[in-house]
Amino acid sequence: MRRSLLTFLTFLTAGYAIAQEKKAPAYPLITHDSYFSIWSNTDELNQSVTHHWTGADQSLLGVVKVDGKSYRFLGATEQKYQNILAASDDQPYHFKYTEESPVEGWNKLSFDDSKWKSGAAPFGDAEHFAKTEWKSKNLWVRRSFNLPRSPKDLFVKLNHDDNVEVYLNGMLVYEYEGWTNNKFNYIPVKAEVLKSLKKTGNVLAIHVINTAGGQGLDAGLVTTAPSLDKIALAEQKSVNITSTQTQYEFKAGAIDLSLTFTSPLLLDDLHLVSRPVSYITYKVKASDKKVHEVEVLFNASTNIAVNIPSQEVRAESSNFGPLSILKAGTTQQPVLQKKGDDLRIDWGYMYVATPTSNGATQYVVPLKNAIADFNSPAKIKRPTALTGTKLSLSTVMRFGKVGSSPKQQFVMLGYDDLESVQFFGQNLKAYWNSDGTKSFNDELVASASEYAQMMSRCNAFDASMYQKALSSGGEKYAKLCVLAYRQAISAHKLVKSPQGELLFMSKENFSNGSIYTVDVTYPSAPLFLAYNPELVKGLLNGIFYYSESGKWKKPFAAHDLGTYPLANGQTYGEDMPVEESGNMLILTAALARAEGNADYARKHWKTLGVWADYLSKEGFDPGNQLCTDDFAGHLARNANLSVKAIVALGAYGNLAMQLGEAAEAKKYTEMAKSMALKWMEMAKDGDHYALTFDKKGTWSQKYNLVWDKLLKLNLFPKEVYETEIKYYLTKQQPFGLPLDSRKTYTKSDWIIWTSVLADKDADFQALIDPVYKFATETPSRVPLSDWHETTNGKMVGFQARSVVGGYFIKMLEQLWLK
């Protein structure tokens, strides 16, 4: 019976489930954790360079050669430049510099900088690869250069953090307030400035100001170089996104090419959740009933294994058992030596592997030569190992003569991070290798042997998940769940604690870089409650350990465990006592609901009691403090935060009842019910309930009420839900319901939580439709943002965060309340 169901679901994927979602703000290609996460930010796969979720280039390239003619279908080649004055990613150089305010004319040709210091670039915070440390507010630099021949054009190649002024021979060529997110921008130099340059004795002068956070400077001058990669583009016929896969269809001459990226994140299999290996499947067939000679290039940039492109890498090829393998990583290997948000991994090793039985050729080339080398008609010696910067790993798959019968091959892209996170001073490996006895080569062999099985399992899951979401909330809701699934999971890292407990460690992407943030866990949890409660324990265990070990001594829950990837204790600058204590109590009760018992709560009962006692005193009418919507600022007497405290106290009473703690159950259940009645009186504002108890004429989404409904606590009468939903429908904007009356921006995860309060499907759909409109029409081409403007659909902040796991709360309602 099980086998026939799997066969049916696999068959179903070929039709019904394949047509799931065809439009996204960004398209997931490789999605495993916050460091191994590669996306396409354009609707046409061959119209842009592929990126890490932070926006840094992590190029994947694909070219199909049909009867000797090449077509690019994956990624794009970057504009090539020739150095006039190299930046540090190409070769070392020095600036003359000062951190003390110079006299007027410091940027002129005639200025004497002989008393200035000399330092190697880049400048800035040493933690971010500065060769010369700069931690003061201001930095002035000068660099002399010659220009034997006048170039046809000139660009300042500039990476700066923060505000900057750039001069050439004393003429201002660029000024900007802000920073460049650890990447180079290319600023064109106007013709009149270019004409002023001389053969000898020119000066590039820059003033940079640090305003907050990190700081840095790196700069050079370049001119455009002719491209050698001008080849035809394959025609993209379609794209389709399912929970675990993104599939593209192309036409390249007389060949139809199907390309599928599969990250098998199946939540009932913790090994797969942890194993950082994605499959890239190529299927080709002729469309004209003739036979054609076909080969395909897959090329992966070693930028996948660096934080910034100037880092030196070592790349090499080898055979291991049935696989041909390319491997690359930095020569420095600074394991767990950096923490923060806008960072990429620069330790461990990336792998590209394919079965040797396919007869593929693997080699290493400079990234700039990847396509030209593949297209070269001459037989050239291709290196199998290189050391340098901006390298790439090339795999050429030969399909031979291809007719109307399809031929298929696959490659695997993997990443072994060696050490994943640090937990209170102890480095932890990924869950798949938590005991340190497994080799990544063996894991690749296992992945290859399981390829057919993985495809079937992923197809079956994709069909099943879509059907569940469809029956829960309709087509648009189901498509939102599809877009959220891989993103939510891949913003975590799964490890085991030194005590042997699961730790499912989130990274607060493009927010503040915190690790294990409780108010990120709270909105993320519905996906994991629906599919694997063990992962919910992994979301909670670390915070319980922090309190129970005595490392966190306050009578409320911590906000976080540190800054990713170092979980050594809270680093967020301010506590959120009501927010985080309420989150932990509610999620512990939700876990009991998912498992059908309160055993986990019993294990942590003393700690839960401390937090419940705190909320009983401080939760109903909160003081001036932050909540999970901290971007909106401090707020006193927050009615929605009060709801959280009330529901948390009711949840604690419910847990006490399950554990046979009758007196405790009675005390806290009656307390919560009494508070709910008082809340209705104090928050009532005519036809709705206010943002705060003391500010009438305001309103807010009361998304925290959803747990009163899902946990069947019955603290608030149904009329509260109905009153709020009716009012919300009068406040809708084209791209969603605003968060509250202060601004027109919103959080999409909270809208979906709020929508679950609606009993009428028409009201639910009315709230969901604008969120779907945002997801498919936003002009912000980044992995799904959860904080956007409801008037125009633009991202306000945040991207690629795990909180979109909260989209699954409607599915959770169907599972629990059906």
Side-chain angles (χ1 to χ4, degrees):
M1 182 68 181
R2 181 185 178 92
R3 183 177 300 172
S4 62
L5 176 61
L6 181 63
T7 303
F8 169 72
L9 288 171
T10 304
F11 170 78
L12 190 62
T13 304
Y16 170 78
I18 278 292
Q20 292 192 7
E21 182 47 52
K22 301 181 180 300
K23 186 74 166 62
Y27 296 81
L29 305 179
I30 308 296
T31 48
H32 290 281
D33 58 52
S34 63
Y35 284 141
F36 192 31
S37 179
I38 305 173
W39 301 68
S40 172
N41 293 350
T42 48
D43 296 326
E44 304 285 325
L45 184 60
N46 54 14
Q47 292 300 308
S48 66
V49 177
T50 57
H51 299 89
H52 184 258
W53 68 260
T54 57
D57 291 351
Q58 292 192 339
S59 174
L60 301 178
L61 282 170
V63 179
V64 58
K65 191 179 292 183
V66 181
D67 297 330
K69 182 176 180 179
S70 292
Y71 303 83
R72 192 181 78 242
F73 58 87
L74 165 59
T77 53
E78 302 174 38
Q79 171 64 55
K80 291 182 172 60
Y81 297 96
Q82 292 176 336
N83 285 323
I84 300 296
L85 198 59
S88 71
D89 61 332
D90 284 324
Q91 65 186 57
Y93 74 92
H94 283 67
F95 270 128
K96 300 297 290 292
Y97 75 97
T98 182
E99 296 173 81
E100 298 179 1
S101 183
V103 299
E104 187 176 349
W106 67 272
N107 55 347
K108 305 294 184 183
L109 276 171
S110 57
F111 181 78
D112 181 7
D113 61 17
S114 60
K115 294 184 179 180
W116 284 20
K117 300 175 185 177
S118 178
F123 285 70
D125 186 336
E127 191 175 59
H128 293 79
F129 283 95
K131 296 289 178 60
T132 299
E133 185 177 87
W134 164 51
K135 290 189 174 181
S136 62
K137 183 174 182 179
N138 288 275
L139 179 70
W140 291 263
V141 302
R142 288 170 56 92
R143 188 178 179 190
S144 300
F145 65 98
N146 299 327
L147 194 66
R149 292 187 302 276
S150 181
K152 62 179 181 178
D153 56 20
L154 190 67
F155 297 81
V156 178
K157 178 181 176 181
L158 182 64
N159 183 355
H160 65 94
D161 187 357
D162 297 303
N163 303 346
V164 73
E165 300 170 343
V166 181
Y167 299 87
L168 277 172
N169 291 356
M171 301 176 69
L172 180 67
V173 296
Y174 182 69
E175 59 182 339
Y176 184 79
E177 292 187 3
W179 65 94
T180 54
N181 289 330
N182 281 328
K183 67 178 181 179
F184 285 104
N185 282 349
Y186 294 82
I187 298 104
V189 174
K190 292 181 179 178
E192 57 267 31
V193 178
L194 182 57
K195 290 177 183 177
S196 75
L197 299 180
K198 308 180 297 180
K199 288 187 177 181
T200 59
N202 300 288
V203 170
L204 170 67
I206 302 172
H207 175 207
V208 61
I209 305 171
N210 178 47
T211 59
Q215 56 198 105
L217 178 67
D218 195 357
L221 297 171
V222 297
T223 184
T224 54
S227 175
L228 302 176
D229 299 334
K230 291 184 177 179
I231 61 174
L233 295 180
E235 178 188 358
Q236 184 174 306
K237 306 295 288 186
S238 67
V239 58
N240 186 63
I241 308 166
T242 60
S243 297
T244 65
Q245 302 177 80
T246 302
Q247 182 179 32
Y248 294 88
E249 300 289 339
F250 296 95
K251 183 173 180 57
I255 288 294
D256 291 332
L257 166 67
S258 174
L259 173 68
T260 303
F261 295 87
T262 305
S263 296
L265 301 177
L266 303 177
L267 291 175
D268 63 346
D269 188 329
L270 297 184
H271 189 87
L272 281 181
V273 171
S274 172
R275 184 167 76 186
V277 178
S278 279
Y279 302 99
I280 306 170
T281 303
Y282 304 82
K283 186 182 295 185
V284 295
K285 67 175 182 178
S287 59
D288 61 358
K289 299 181 181 180
K290 297 180 181 179
V291 174
H292 303 274
E293 194 72 26
V294 177
E295 59 182 358
V296 172
L297 167 71
F298 172 68
N299 180 271
S301 167
T302 56
N303 282 356
I304 295 168
V306 303
N307 179 41
I308 55 176
S310 59
Q311 290 179 267
E312 184 182 71
V313 297
R314 172 69 178 173
E316 56 193 16
S317 66
S318 64
N319 287 336
F320 184 84
L323 298 180
S324 175
I325 298 174
L326 288 164
K327 172 184 176 182
T330 59
T331 55
Q332 188 182 19
Q333 289 295 304
V335 177
L336 294 171
Q337 290 185 17
K338 283 180 277 312
K339 62 179 180 179
D341 195 9
D342 189 10
L343 295 172
R344 276 68 45 197
I345 195 169
D346 58 4
W347 70 89
Y349 297 91
M350 62 179 288
Y351 290 78
V352 178
T354 192
T356 54
S357 57
N358 291 334
T361 300
Q362 292 192 302
Y363 53 93
V364 185
V365 292
L367 179 60
K368 63 183 180 181
N369 298 338
I371 292 180
D373 177 271
F374 176 65
N375 287 332
S376 174
K379 292 202 179 272
I380 57 176
K381 183 175 177 58
R382 291 162 163 168
T384 56
L386 277 179
T387 300
T389 62
K390 301 178 184 177
L391 305 179
S392 62
L393 310 181
S394 290
T395 300
V396 178
M397 292 162 279
R398 294 180 176 82
F399 289 84
K401 297 188 180 301
V402 176
S404 55
S405 296
K407 290 186 175 182
Q408 179 175 298
Q409 292 190 35
F410 70 92
V411 298
M412 296 175 293
L413 184 62
Y415 204 100
D416 181 9
D417 59 10
L418 303 179
E419 305 286 347
S420 298
V421 296
Q422 189 174 93
F423 185 71
F424 294 100
Q426 185 166 336
N427 292 355
L428 303 180
K429 298 181 183 296
Y431 177 87
W432 68 269
N433 190 26
S434 55
D435 62 1
T437 62
K438 297 187 174 83
S439 79
F440 202 76
N441 279 354
D442 285 333
E443 205 65 20
L444 288 170
V445 170
S447 299
S449 68
E450 296 166 2
Y451 170 77
Q453 177 192 8
M454 287 298 105
M455 293 302 105
S456 292
R457 289 178 66 183
C458 286
N459 289 341
F461 176 80
D462 292 348
S464 171
M465 195 284 283
Y466 185 77
Q467 182 58 46
K468 287 180 181 178
L470 186 70
S471 64
S472 300
E475 183 179 20
K476 290 180 180 178
Y477 172 72
K479 290 181 175 182
L480 285 169
C481 289
V482 166
L483 293 179
Y485 183 82
R486 271 177 282 171
Q487 176 173 315
I489 300 168
S490 62
H492 296 85
K493 191 71 181 183
L494 185 63
V495 298
K496 274 188 179 180
S497 76
Q499 295 75 34
E501 293 187 319
L502 279 183
L503 298 174
F504 197 36
M505 309 191 86
S506 63
K507 179 175 186 290
E508 197 169 339
N509 290 344
F510 252 42
S511 177
N512 64 13
S514 290
I515 188 170
Y516 223 91
T517 305
V518 177
D519 59 284
V520 167
T521 289
Y522 179 63
S524 305
L527 169 60
F528 309 109
L529 286 164
Y531 278 102
N532 191 343
E534 289 300 312
L535 288 170
V536 181
K537 295 175 187 175
L539 292 168
L540 303 179
N541 284 334
I543 298 296
F544 279 119
Y545 171 81
Y546 195 15
S547 283
E548 292 164 0
S549 65
K551 294 176 170 57
W552 176 259
K553 301 181 185 299
K554 299 178 182 181
F556 46 80
H559 170 272
D560 61 78
L561 291 186
T563 302
Y564 201 92
L566 306 181
N568 295 322
Q570 180 173 308
T571 52
Y572 192 71
E574 184 173 346
D575 296 327
M576 297 185 192
V578 174
E579 173 69 39
E580 311 304 14
S581 299
N583 292 340
M584 291 296 291
L585 284 163
I586 290 170
L587 290 180
T588 302
L591 179 62
R593 176 68 180 84
E595 290 197 306
N597 65 73
D599 292 348
Y600 185 80
R602 187 189 304 278
K603 181 179 178 182
H604 301 289
W605 193 240
K606 183 177 178 180
T607 305
L608 292 168
V610 171
W611 295 339
D613 181 63
Y614 179 85
L615 289 181
S616 73
K617 300 169 183 174
E618 306 291 341
F620 174 72
D621 195 353
N624 190 38
Q625 60 190 269
L626 295 174
C627 70
T628 184
D629 305 318
D630 55 355
F631 51 84
H634 292 75
L635 192 63
R637 313 198 72 188
N638 182 339
N640 186 46
L641 188 58
S642 176
V643 169
K644 177 170 289 182
I646 295 167
V647 172
L649 291 169
Y652 179 75
N654 183 268
L655 288 169
M657 181 179 64
Q658 293 181 62
L659 293 174
E661 302 284 347
E664 200 84 338
K666 184 175 186 295
K667 172 185 174 182
Y668 280 95
T669 300
E670 290 181 355
M671 181 189 301
K673 288 184 175 180
S674 175
M675 285 180 175
L677 292 174
K678 188 177 179 182
W679 182 94
M680 291 171 63
E681 294 176 7
M682 293 176 61
K684 187 68 175 175
D685 189 14
D687 59 354
H688 67 284
Y689 296 91
L691 169 68
T692 65
F693 291 138
D694 59 341
K695 293 179 182 177
K696 304 305 179 184
T698 63
W699 66 275
S700 65
Q701 291 187 47
K702 308 301 190 300
Y703 52 80
N704 289 316
L705 278 169
V706 72
W707 294 106
D708 183 43
K709 182 178 183 180
L710 295 188
L711 297 175
K712 297 183 179 180
L713 300 176
N714 300 316
L715 302 174
F716 292 84
K718 191 175 180 182
E719 67 188 63
V720 175
Y721 308 165
E722 294 171 345
T723 296
E724 286 292 273
I725 290 294
K726 184 177 179 180
Y727 187 78
Y728 296 151
L729 294 176
T730 70
K731 297 297 181 181
Q732 290 264 72
Q733 294 291 329
F735 292 91
L737 176 67
L739 183 65
D740 58 49
S741 53
R742 290 174 291 178
K743 300 282 187 179
T744 54
Y745 59 56
T746 196
K747 291 277 273 86
S748 57
D749 49 337
W750 296 149
I751 293 178
I752 296 179
W753 284 35
T754 295
S755 73
V756 176
L757 299 176
D759 278 340
K760 298 177 182 176
D761 184 64
D763 292 344
F764 170 80
Q765 298 299 338
L767 290 164
I768 291 296
D769 284 357
V771 180
Y772 180 75
K773 179 181 174 69
F774 155 71
T776 54
E777 297 181 20
T778 176
S780 304
R781 305 312 300 269
V782 297
L784 196 60
S785 170
D786 54 286
W787 181 21
H788 73 270
E789 177 54 60
T790 61
T791 58
N792 57 25
K794 291 183 179 179
M795 175 183 75
V796 178
F798 309 158
Q799 63 195 52
R801 300 209 309 165
S802 66
V803 300
V804 296
Y807 288 11
F808 285 79
I809 199 159
K810 184 66 175 177
M811 183 190 294
L812 194 63
E813 179 195 34
Q814 186 183 59
L815 288 172
W816 286 3
L817 303 184
K818 61 184 178 181

